Amino acid sequence: MKKRCSGILMPVSSLPGGYGIGSMGQAARDFVDFLVLAGQSVWQILPVGPTSYGDSPYQSCSAFAGNPYFIDLDQLAADGLLKPEDYAKENWGTNPNYCDYALLYQKRYKVLRKAYAAFLQQRPVPGYDTPYSDDWYRFTFLSDAWLPDYCLYMAIKEENKMCDWQTWPAPLRLRDPKALEEFRTGHADELGFWAFVQYEFAKQWQALKAYANSKGIKIMGDIPIYVAADSADAWAGRELFEMDSEGHAPPRRVAGCPPDYFAEDGQLWGNPLYDWAYHKRTNYAWWVRRVRHALSIYDILRIDHFRGFDTYWAIPAGDKNARGGKWEQGPGMDLFRALRTALGDLPIVAEDLGEIFDSVRALLAESGFPGMKVLQFSLNDTDSLDLPHNYPAHCVAYPGTHDNNTLRGWLENETTPAQRKQAKAYFALTEQEGEITGLLRGVLASPAELAIVTMADWLEKGSEARMNTPGNPAGNWQWRVAAKDLTPALARKIHEMSARYFRAEPLPEAEPKKEKAPAPQPKAKAADAKKEKTTAPAKKAAKSAK
């Protein structure tokens, strides 16, 4: 970002709406309009891939597919694929402020299958007895590198009661060509359903992105560095990872990170680690495909756990926590040179948080990507690099990320009296301005080219609005905003604060009220008044003579 600007972090899942989770429908467009009113330039979201057990967008079953839950049901109805009674009367949960993922799994696919049945009855091309349009063929052609394997993976998974692919019958687990062909022949309709779901996701997403871009809003997406062990990518591409060649044993080592601010035992993610030697031999072809795909759906790309490209934490498979891991060497700039050669300039933001070595800093500097600074890491009674006055211009500043508590939750539950004292002195916090507003002021006033604030922090929510607690597998990714909270008054406050620190154009000044001009007198009355004025002295003289 060359120009100072600001944005809001708002996951798609957190958007308001009536069907259990945020979607790519009207509420998403309304949020774009809110961003415009608030003078913002960037809408940051979390990964939009399908979620699985644990509901984490960072543990998706595909590095390329979109989340079926985000498909807007009202739009499907507008397209003639659903009737309102197909979904409006369903029980989508009792609390509109939280996602109930178990309920979504039970209800959403049932509705999407109704839409697929209606899709098969459509005939978009006159004279041809087929439901498939030119747009469909274009989508499937452009997605050929990943879509067939994803659909096959999901169909086999359904057939095997959603069990991990490593427990499937050996012929399917090992991708025996004859077994796969027999399965395709016997499950053509199921394969078609999963392709339909991805087609509808892509169609709705591109329409939403086009709307945002037309309003001057860039979408910052997010890709996890790793893929889930139970994923189409791991099943169809075992050569990409440190995987057992037979496909039935867990990888010998898995991903995570060492003990840190978030978790004293470290974080045991369980993802398979990349076989970087293989990737180098292929000139990082899979990574080129992955980043090309991501840049086709996002304007800016945040890469999670950037430090893992320098050195990554490898944990022996079967360990109960991450303490027993060790650092291994990653691909470094070799990967990013290959990406630049294939794709040109890369609008990437590097999530460079965690335990950072000098070698990670050197990689970030050589890559030229902006890193991240987080206010919540700053209060240690030293001249911390995370204090806003120390931020470099070429970075993205946050009060907190999706992995942090909200500012209010942090202040109330996670700071010491000494830290609160430091915050009050450093940020000049006052009751009149409010503590949260004062902290946000510090981030917006920083030298960072881009400042991103979570929607929950603009709303001054407490810990109930926290998106994720690292190391805690339950109760995450659930918070949703209420539509009534996204008010014009809040948008004006955000705009005024952003403009004050030259991150937005100033709001137009209200025109001063004009005084009402005296009403002109009717011509006849004006003439009478003039006549009265000229005859008045004569009348006065005559009266004196009497």
Side-chain angles (χ1 to χ4, degrees):
M1 310 296 290
K2 300 297 183 183
K3 180 182 176 183
R4 282 175 67 81
C5 59
S6 54
I8 293 177
L9 170 54
M10 173 72 139
V12 174
S13 62
S14 295
L15 290 166
Y19 310 121
I21 195 170
S23 75
M24 300 177 287
Q26 187 57 48
R29 286 165 175 75
D30 291 343
F31 184 68
V32 169
D33 295 341
F34 177 86
L35 291 170
V36 174
L37 196 61
Q40 303 304 283
S41 301
V42 176
W43 177 9
Q44 182 178 341
I45 59 177
L46 298 184
V48 295
T51 52
S52 185
Y53 300 109
D55 312 316
S56 171
Y58 293 90
Q59 290 281 2
S60 177
C61 63
S62 173
F64 297 88
N67 192 333
Y69 294 159
F70 294 164
I71 296 172
D72 186 64
L73 303 183
D74 288 334
Q75 186 59 54
L76 292 181
D79 292 342
L81 299 178
L82 289 174
K83 297 176 182 177
E85 55 266 30
D86 289 332
Y87 59 93
K89 294 181 181 180
E90 289 282 0
N91 172 24
W92 297 107
T94 57
N95 189 342
N97 296 323
Y98 292 93
C99 298
D100 185 336
Y101 287 98
L103 197 61
L104 281 167
Y105 178 74
Q106 294 171 15
K107 304 278 188 177
R108 203 59 153 229
Y109 289 109
K110 180 176 69 172
V111 174
L112 291 174
R113 288 183 186 280
K114 287 184 180 180
Y116 177 55
F119 169 81
L120 292 176
Q121 299 304 312
Q122 291 189 333
R123 296 295 180 265
V125 182
Y128 289 85
D129 189 24
T130 176
Y132 305 116
S133 64
D134 289 346
D135 283 344
W136 169 275
Y137 287 115
R138 181 176 185 275
F139 167 73
T140 55
F141 174 77
L142 294 176
S143 306
D144 185 62
W146 63 270
L147 184 63
D149 279 328
Y150 169 76
C151 295
L152 192 56
Y153 165 85
M154 290 304 301
I156 299 174
K157 198 171 179 64
E158 282 276 351
E159 182 77 4
N160 287 273
K161 300 180 180 179
M162 301 306 289
C163 288
D164 188 315
W165 67 267
Q166 295 179 18
T167 68
W168 295 351
L172 295 174
R173 184 180 73 240
L174 299 176
R175 296 178 58 84
D176 176 75
K178 182 179 178 181
L180 293 184
E181 186 56 36
E182 288 177 356
F183 189 91
R184 289 188 191 97
T185 302
H187 298 81
D189 190 61
E190 187 69 6
L191 297 175
F193 167 72
W194 291 107
F196 161 78
V197 166
Q198 290 307 308
Y199 169 66
E200 289 297 328
F201 177 92
K203 188 166 66 170
Q204 290 193 11
W205 178 260
Q206 291 299 339
L208 174 59
K209 182 178 181 293
Y211 183 81
N213 291 166
S214 74
K215 299 286 186 174
I217 302 297
K218 291 184 176 181
I219 295 179
M220 184 194 294
D222 193 337
I223 63 170
I225 183 174
Y226 295 117
V227 304
D230 185 14
S231 66
D233 312 282
W235 172 65
R238 289 196 298 278
E239 67 279 3
L240 302 170
F241 309 98
E242 292 186 2
M243 300 287 287
D244 186 287
S245 61
E246 291 299 309
H248 61 268
R252 57 190 176 86
R253 302 187 304 176
V254 295
C257 67
D260 62 4
Y261 171 89
F262 290 114
E264 63 181 17
D265 284 332
Q267 298 177 48
L268 180 59
W269 299 332
N271 309 75
L273 295 171
Y274 293 107
D275 182 347
W276 285 117
Y278 172 85
H279 286 275
K280 183 177 178 63
R281 289 196 301 272
T282 62
N283 204 24
Y284 304 98
W286 183 84
W287 273 97
V288 170
R289 288 203 308 272
R290 187 183 187 192
V291 174
R292 179 185 286 122
H293 172 76
L295 292 177
S296 75
I297 61 176
Y298 306 131
D299 301 299
I300 307 168
L301 180 60
R302 174 190 179 273
I303 296 186
D304 188 59
H305 199 60
F306 178 82
R307 66 105 55 248
F309 295 111
D310 172 67
T311 41
Y312 58 91
W313 193 245
I315 306 162
D319 278 15
K320 301 300 182 184
N321 60 47
R323 288 184 174 274
K326 68 174 185 175
W327 292 110
E328 297 284 3
Q329 191 64 44
M333 272 304 298
D334 199 40
L335 167 63
F336 297 108
R337 281 191 286 268
L339 289 173
R340 281 204 172 101
T341 298
L343 304 174
D345 289 339
L346 301 172
I348 284 175
V349 171
E351 186 269 278
D352 57 336
L353 307 177
E355 186 177 356
I356 302 301
F357 302 155
D358 287 342
S359 57
V360 181
R361 297 186 184 94
L363 176 61
L364 182 65
E366 188 175 357
S367 73
F369 303 144
M372 290 171 51
K373 294 295 180 183
V374 179
L375 180 151
Q376 288 190 32
F377 300 153
S378 67
L379 301 182
N380 56 19
D381 205 27
T382 66
D383 190 11
S384 166
L385 293 176
D386 289 300
L387 286 169
H389 73 276
N390 285 325
Y391 293 175
H394 195 50
C395 79
V396 184
Y398 294 81
T401 73
H402 64 274
D403 280 335
N404 293 96
N405 208 334
T406 64
L407 278 179
R408 182 169 297 286
W410 172 68
L411 275 177
E412 292 177 352
N413 304 313
E414 298 180 15
T415 54
T416 65
Q419 287 175 316
R420 289 191 289 274
K421 181 179 179 181
Q422 183 187 357
K424 184 175 182 180
Y426 179 88
F427 294 100
L429 303 181
T430 65
E431 288 186 11
Q432 181 179 5
E433 181 185 30
E435 289 181 322
I436 306 305
T437 299
L439 293 170
L440 295 178
R441 166 173 48 78
V443 173
L444 293 172
S446 75
E449 292 170 352
L450 174 59
I452 299 285
V453 177
T454 67
M455 194 66 245
D457 280 338
W458 276 121
L459 292 169
E460 301 191 15
K461 295 289 187 181
S463 297
E464 75 280 359
R466 181 171 187 163
M467 281 304 290
N468 181 46
T469 303
N472 184 355
N476 299 314
W477 319 109
Q478 296 178 343
W479 178 73
R480 299 181 68 197
V481 72
K484 65 181 179 59
D485 289 340
L486 302 178
T487 63
L490 176 60
R492 184 177 183 86
K493 173 185 175 179
I494 297 171
H495 197 147
E496 287 175 344
M497 287 187 67
S498 300
R500 185 186 309 157
Y501 299 107
F502 302 96
R503 297 188 183 279
E505 294 297 321
L507 284 165
E509 294 185 11
E511 294 185 8
K513 292 183 179 180
K514 296 180 180 179
E515 293 184 9
K516 289 185 178 181
Q521 293 179 312
K523 288 184 178 180
K525 290 184 178 181
D528 290 344
K530 185 176 181 182
K531 181 178 178 182
E532 181 66 28
K533 186 175 181 180
T534 56
T535 58
K539 289 181 179 179
K540 186 175 182 182
K543 188 174 181 181
S544 299
K546 289 181 180 179

